[in-house]
Amino acid sequence: MRLIKYFLLMLPAVLPVIGCDTALEKNLAGKKVTLLAPVNNLITTDTLQTFYWELLDGATKYQIQVVSPRFDSIVRLIADTTTAKNTFLIDLDVNSYQWRVKAKNNSTSSDESEIRNLKIQ
C-alpha cells in the first residue's frame, strides 16, 4: 500500500521527464513499411512519379529516400525527405533509381523498407 502511494505521489514529477507522447507512442522497432507503388523493377517513360506505401500503426511521419543509381553505389541523392503523408510526388530525370521508406514517431523508428528499383527511360 505504501508503495502505491509513493508511486502516485511521484507520477506528476516523472511524467514531464518522460513525456506523455513518449510514454503512449507505439514502438516501431522491428517493423517495416510496406511499399505499394511504383512496383519493383518498373521501367517507364513517365518522369512524374508518385511513391505510395501503407500507413504503419504508430507512425507520425515517414522518411523516403530516393537515390541514383543504387544505395550500394550512390552517385546522386535525389531525395531524403520526411513527410506526414504516405505519398511522395517527384519529377525524375531519365535514369535508374532505388527508393525506400522508414516510419518514425517522436521516440522510435521502424526498420527500412525493402529497396525498390525504378528506371525512367
Side-chain angles (χ1 to χ4, degrees):
M1 188 65 156
R2 212 180 251 175
L3 185 60
I4 293 172
K5 286 181 182 178
Y6 177 76
F7 177 76
L8 291 175
L9 287 172
M10 292 303 296
L11 194 58
V14 172
L15 274 180
V17 175
I18 62 171
C20 290
D21 289 343
T22 303
L24 302 175
E25 283 185 329
K26 291 194 177 203
N27 185 352
L28 301 177
K31 297 180 182 180
K32 285 189 177 184
V33 173
T34 300
L35 304 181
L36 299 175
V39 297
N40 195 24
N41 298 317
L42 176 68
I43 299 173
T44 182
T45 58
D46 188 3
T47 60
L48 190 59
Q49 290 292 312
T50 303
F51 297 92
Y52 293 95
W53 54 90
E54 287 184 2
L55 295 171
L56 187 62
D57 188 35
T60 57
K61 55 193 169 197
Y62 299 89
Q63 178 185 9
I64 181 168
Q65 296 176 319
V66 182
V67 300
S68 179
R70 305 174 52 82
F71 280 104
D72 62 6
S73 57
I74 298 171
V75 173
R76 289 182 48 214
L77 176 63
I78 307 302
D80 188 357
T81 303
T82 302
T83 178
K85 300 177 182 181
N86 66 326
T87 63
F88 178 70
L89 178 68
I90 189 169
D91 194 14
L92 298 168
D93 297 329
V94 172
N95 212 334
S96 295
Y97 300 93
Q98 286 190 328
W99 65 287
R100 64 186 175 197
V101 177
K102 181 189 288 192
K104 297 181 173 194
N105 59 30
N106 291 322
S107 58
T108 62
S109 61
S110 71
D111 295 344
E112 291 171 340
S113 69
E114 68 174 305
I115 293 172
R116 288 216 175 155
N117 299 291
L118 170 65
K119 185 172 185 176
I120 311 291
Q121 57 182 18

